[in-house]
Each structure stands twice: as structure tokens, then as C-alpha cells.
Amino acid sequence: MRAIVSAGALALAIAWAAAAAAPAVAQGAKTSNVRISYEEPSDPNLRPVSERLKQRQVLERLEKFLSPLRLPRELVVRAAQCGGISLPPRAGQPVTLCFEFVDQLEQQAPPPDDVETLGAAFVTRNMAIVGPVVHSLLHDVALAVFEILEIPVWGNIVDGADHVAAFLMLQFGPDVAQKTIFGTALYLNKLDESFDPQNVKPHVLQRYYNILCMAVGHDFVRYAALIPYKRAEEPGDLPFERAARCLSFEPSEYTEYGKVRQAFVALFLEEYVDEVLMKEIQRIDWLKED
Amino acid sequence: MKRLVAAVALSVVAGLTASGSGLAQLAPDIPLNPKVRIRYEPVSESNTTRYGALAKRLQERMVLERFSQVLSPLQLKNDLLVVTAECPDYKYPNSDYRGDLRRLRMCYEMLDFIENGAAVPPNRQPKPPRVFGPYALHPEVTRAEAILGGWVGVFLHEAGHAVFDIQKIPRLGKEEDAAEQIAAFIMLQFGPEVSRIMVKGSYNLWRHMNGFFGPGIMSGVHSMNLQRSHNYLCVGYGGEPSLKDLADRWLSEARKANCPGEFKQAQLAFRKTFVKYIDEDLMKKVKGMTIFRRDDLKL
């Protein structure tokens, strides 16, 4: 169960980008209009998970990370028992990290002395737990922020939130980014979901490839293990045909990553982010204590 | 915006009118968009039989000139080249926009594929396709709807790419889905009758693509073919309640419930990213353009 503790803490540590969190978290940061809460689980089996998330100040760190964001109204982020691994995001409703989700990740992750493979990449237990928690929180916060700020999103809004989550995950240092991206990718790749062409959400494999595409677009050398270049394609690889559309030797506005970066700057940074505070937040080494 | 979009349809429709006779007339009081350059590329000798008449018809009907007129209210930041051309670089019917060339290319192969494939009933297909599912002309879609709606859908999709790129409109999410959504949104600005034609034609085209070529690939930049057909229909129904009968038959209840939200998402994105580039005075003139002619539906 220690993995859960680490996972929860690390998740936020990573996502919120940066260092010795405790003193900073204690000060709090209310400029974002983000409010957090921990609910008590009625299922006693989930209480250890709940307690550890609380002890590690997971949501406090998220609140701190989001502090540069200027929201005109309150956004509630809570940790709670959901009755399932997730709750469908709804306008005006809290973003919820479900205890069941963290519990499931813990159960599905490879044992501490083993790894899973994804293409030619290795994924450790810690990565398999941390990555999806970070991604899930950032994805759901992105959806809520789209709604609160009336952010224009062309195309599938789930993809838009995935792109924002992946973009943020890729900003916080190459090692942390790699761990969270690989962990998230493994989670999505293992989900068993039948294809329904009418589903409003993209198929989970489409989301998987989109995240790999973002990663490769950001740093194709670091993520080369997922590209079948000069070798046979393996399950989990980003097919070369797609990869060629994702990467660039120079920063390019025509890669998916490049487009998301441009959109992020235009839609968020220029209007809704306190840049001075953001730079302060980015200097924190969130992984230090984890 | 209604008539602007309607005018886009007209430009395409006019070009596709199989029975259209003589040269088309341009609206005299509407200028061409100074940033839009047009070119009708000749058909190669080896493909004259297959695409020659189609290419000639497009030029006679001044499709691209009309497109330029329709785009006249749009204040483009850079030139856009719009061409009709053969596209031997593709193994399958396609059209494209290339940002490095700022070129929108409507391929004769795609138009031929729509006219002689998607708009043809299964028992009259020119050759037996590889059947992955229901294909060819949907029994509830007319040939005219299949051609007009299919072609306009492709055109608007590529135009969406072009405007996104040239105006540097921010996109979160997949580029191809973004282009699809702006195309579907624009289709709805024509009023119920035109919207119906466009949405049905696009639904039919991607359904045929699925039946003919297969579902697509999960790792691709595009959504799967059947996802695309349902996306058009869902945004269509979300913004045009008169399409409810189609939604009732072709969409699941769960998806139907989400359609108003999908339309509102596109509407918000349009308001926040497109409207600022529209010249209202020119818009009023474009609104005066004729939309559909009776002959356009006799395909």
C-alpha cells in the first residue's frame, strides 16, 4: 500500500511541477479560486487510501499548482468514494479523484520487483500508478476549466483535455514527464474497451496514440522506444506513419504538440494565468520529498 | 452567417450540377477575396475519359470564383491557393490542405469517388468493393444529397484546415476532428433544407468509406470513418432540430442526448475564434447570393 501513498503524492508533485512542497502548501494559494476537500469513504477498505492521500496533501499540492490560474468562479476538487473508478464530468460539479481509481491502479500495477513493457519501453509499478493519477486529475481539471473560462475547443473535447494534460505533464522535467507519460500510456493501452462509433468519447486506443504523439512531438529521442524505426513494429508502438506526423527535428507548429503549445499560450497564458506566480511555482521541485 | 455558409454550398453545388448548362454568372456586386488565388489544373491525357468532363464542368460553372466570392468577408492574413486537380500522390480518394504551400486541393478522384461510388446504389456500383459494412448510397439518401452534401463536406473540411492555419486559430484536440466540426457547424448556417442535404450527404459519404475501405485505424490522425459520419450527424442534429427524424433513426439515444452540447461547443468556438475575422459589410452582400437552384438537385 505504500505505493499508493507514493503514487498519490508523486502524482501531484509531478503535475504541479516542482519542490519542497510542505512549506509552500501550508501557505496556501487562493488566487485561483480552487477549493479542495477530502471526503470520508464509507467503505472501510478505501480508508487507508483516503488517509494517505490526505496525509500527503495531494489536493493541497494541486491547489498550489493551480494557484497562478485566474478563475472567475470556484472550482472544487475533491477526493471521494465514487462507487466506481470515475464520475462523469458535469458542468459546475466538482472534479473528483475517486479512491476506487487509485485502488484499482494499485491492484493492476506490476509488482515492485517487475516491470511491464510498452513497445520497447519499460514501465515500473510506481510509473503505472502515478501516471494515470496525474493524467486523470489534469484531464478533469482541464474539462472544468474549459467550461468555467469558456475556452474554445474545436473537435472532441475529451481529446482537448487529454492534450492539455499531456502538455502539462511534458513541462515538468524530462524524467518526471517520461514516468507520467509512460504510466498513463500503459494504463490506456491495457483498458479493454469495445469500439462504438457512436460513443461521444474517442476510443481509448485513440487517446493512447494521441498521448504518444504528444510525447514524441515534444522529445522524440526520449520517446524513441515507442517508435518502430529500423525495427519491426511491436504491440504498443506508435506506428511510424503516425509518428512521422507527430515529430519534428525543429519545434514545429505543424506537429500536434506544436499546435497544442500554441493554443495553450493563446488560450490560457495570455489571459488567465498570473505569469509571475507561475514562474514561482515552476521553480519548486515537487519530487524532492517523494 | 447563414447566407455566407449557404453561399459556400452554392459555389460547390453549382460546380457539381451535372445538368448545368452554359457558363455561370458571378454575383456582380461581390468582389473576389483578394487573398484567394484559384486554379483549375488540367486533367492528364490518360485520365481524360475518367475526369475530363468533371473538370470541364467545374471550370464552366466557375466554382472556384464563387468560392472566392463567398470567402470575401473573411479577412485572411495570408494568401490561400485553391485548386481543382488530379492527385496521383494518393492511393485512395482524397483532398487536402497543405500549410507549407497554403494550398487547398480538391481532387478529381474524390469527386469521382463520390459521384460514382457514394452516390450510387449498391446494385449499380461500378465494381464490387471490399465490403466491410453497409456501403454505397444509403437507402434514405438521394443521389443529389450524396453528391452535394458529400462534396461540400469535404470542401468545408479542407477549408477549415486552411482557415485554422492561416488565421492561426488555436486548436486543442485533434486537427482533423477540428476541421470536421467546423465543417459540420458551417453546414447548419444554410437553413433547414440545405442543412439536411449537407448533413445527409456527409453522413452517407463516411458510411460508404467505412463499407468500402474499412473502419480506419485507431492510430490515425483522422477519426474512424463511422465516427466521422456520426459526428456530422450529431452536430447537425444539435444545431438543427428539424434533423431529429434522422437522429432518431441513425443515432443512439446516448449520443443524441449529447448532440446539443456538441453543437454549443462548436458555436462557442466559432464565436470566440472566427467571428472577429468577418467583414460585416461584405457579409451583407454575400447574404444576397442565391443558394440552391432547382436544377442543382437534379443529379
Side-chain angles (χ1 to χ4, degrees), chain B residues 31 108 200 249 280 289:
Chain B
Y108 298 132
K200 287 179 76 176
R249 291 197 296 280
E280 291 293 335
M289 289 176 73

Side-chain angles (χ1 to χ4, degrees), chain A residues 156-202:
Chain A
N156 194 299
I157 202 163
V158 173
D159 285 335
D162 275 344
H163 273 162
V164 169
F167 178 79
L168 290 173
M169 288 156 69
L170 289 164
Q171 303 312 305
F172 302 122
D175 291 338
V176 172
Q178 188 173 19
K179 286 174 181 172
T180 53
I181 289 286
F182 279 173
T184 302
L186 178 71
Y187 176 73
L188 293 174
N189 189 262
K190 286 173 66 179
L191 282 179
D192 184 19
E193 180 182 290
S194 60
F195 175 62
D196 173 7
Q198 299 221 34
N199 194 334
V200 65
K201 293 174 71 173

Side-chain angles (χ1 to χ4, degrees), chain A residues 86-98:
Chain A
S86 65
L87 293 176
R90 295 189 193 285
Q93 296 298 305
V95 167
T96 304
L97 173 63
C98 298

Side-chain angles (χ1 to χ4, degrees), chain B residues 158-179:
Chain B
E158 301 306 339
H161 283 306
V163 179
F164 282 144
D165 177 52
I166 291 172
Q167 305 301 90
K168 303 294 178 212
I169 288 172
R171 286 93 77 199
L172 296 169
K174 289 173 79 173
E175 172 77 15
E176 294 296 337
D177 289 340

Side-chain angles (χ1 to χ4, degrees), chain B residues 139-293:
Chain B
E140 296 181 61
V141 177
T142 68
R143 175 169 171 75
E145 289 169 336
I147 295 175
L148 301 178
W151 209 84
V152 173
V154 173
F155 194 92
L156 292 176
H157 173 98
E158 301 306 339
H161 283 306
V163 179
F164 282 144
D165 177 52
I166 291 172
Q167 305 301 90
K168 303 294 178 212
I169 288 172
R171 286 93 77 199
L172 296 169
K174 289 173 79 173
E175 172 77 15
E176 294 296 337
D177 289 340
E180 211 96 288
Q181 199 174 46
I182 182 66
F185 179 79
I186 293 293
M187 286 177 188
L188 303 179
Q189 312 305 313
F190 299 80
E193 290 181 12
V194 179
S195 301
R196 191 176 191 83
I197 292 169
M198 300 303 156
V199 169
K200 287 179 76 176
S202 292
Y203 177 89
N204 180 75
L205 173 59
W206 295 108
R207 172 183 174 273
H208 176 60
M209 279 280 190
N210 176 74
F212 198 92
F213 289 111
I217 49 173
M218 290 289 186
S219 61
V221 293
H222 293 93
S223 286
M224 307 288 268
N225 289 322
L226 284 182
Q227 287 176 317
R228 300 178 75 172
S229 63
H230 291 105
N231 288 344
Y232 275 111
L233 181 55
C234 188
V235 173
Y237 166 59
E240 181 49 68
S242 69
L243 299 179
K244 182 176 183 305
D245 62 314
L246 300 179
D248 285 344
R249 291 197 296 280
W250 299 345
L251 287 180
S252 66
E253 289 301 316
R255 183 61 184 268
K256 265 171 60 183
N258 204 60
C259 294
E262 290 181 47
F263 172 78
K264 282 181 184 171
Q265 179 199 331
Q267 191 176 41
L268 171 72
F270 188 79
R271 176 167 59 81
K272 296 193 91 168
T273 62
F274 268 80
V275 166
K276 58 188 167 188
Y277 300 117
I278 302 292
D279 180 320
E280 291 293 335
D281 291 335
L282 272 176
M283 263 301 301
K284 289 174 186 168
K285 291 185 179 179
V286 171
K287 284 178 179 178
M289 289 176 73
T290 307
I291 307 306
F292 278 129
R293 306 169 195 195

Side-chain angles (χ1 to χ4, degrees), chain A residues 7 18 52 62 83 87 105 115 147 152 155 182 192 200 219 221 243 245:
Chain A
R52 281 190 288 271
L62 171 62
L87 293 176
L105 292 172
V115 295
E147 192 266 324
F182 279 173
D192 184 19
V200 65
D219 187 343
V221 173
R245 303 277 293 266

Side-chain angles (χ1 to χ4, degrees), chain B residues 88-152:
Chain B
D89 41 327
Y90 287 116
K91 297 175 185 170
Y92 50 88
N94 203 357
S95 288
D96 61 16
Y97 169 74
R98 276 186 58 175
D100 55 342
L101 303 176
R102 293 204 187 96
R103 184 197 67 191
L104 188 166
R105 184 172 58 159
M106 291 300 296
C107 302
Y108 298 132
E109 291 88 339
M110 187 66 175
L111 306 184
D112 177 68
F113 177 76
I114 293 172
E115 284 199 15
N116 297 308
V120 175
N123 61 353
R124 302 218 309 266
Q125 287 286 315
K127 60 181 179 180
R130 295 169 61 205
V131 179
F132 291 87
Y135 70 102
L137 187 62
H138 190 287
E140 296 181 61
V141 177
T142 68
R143 175 169 171 75
E145 289 169 336
I147 295 175
L148 301 178
W151 209 84
V152 173

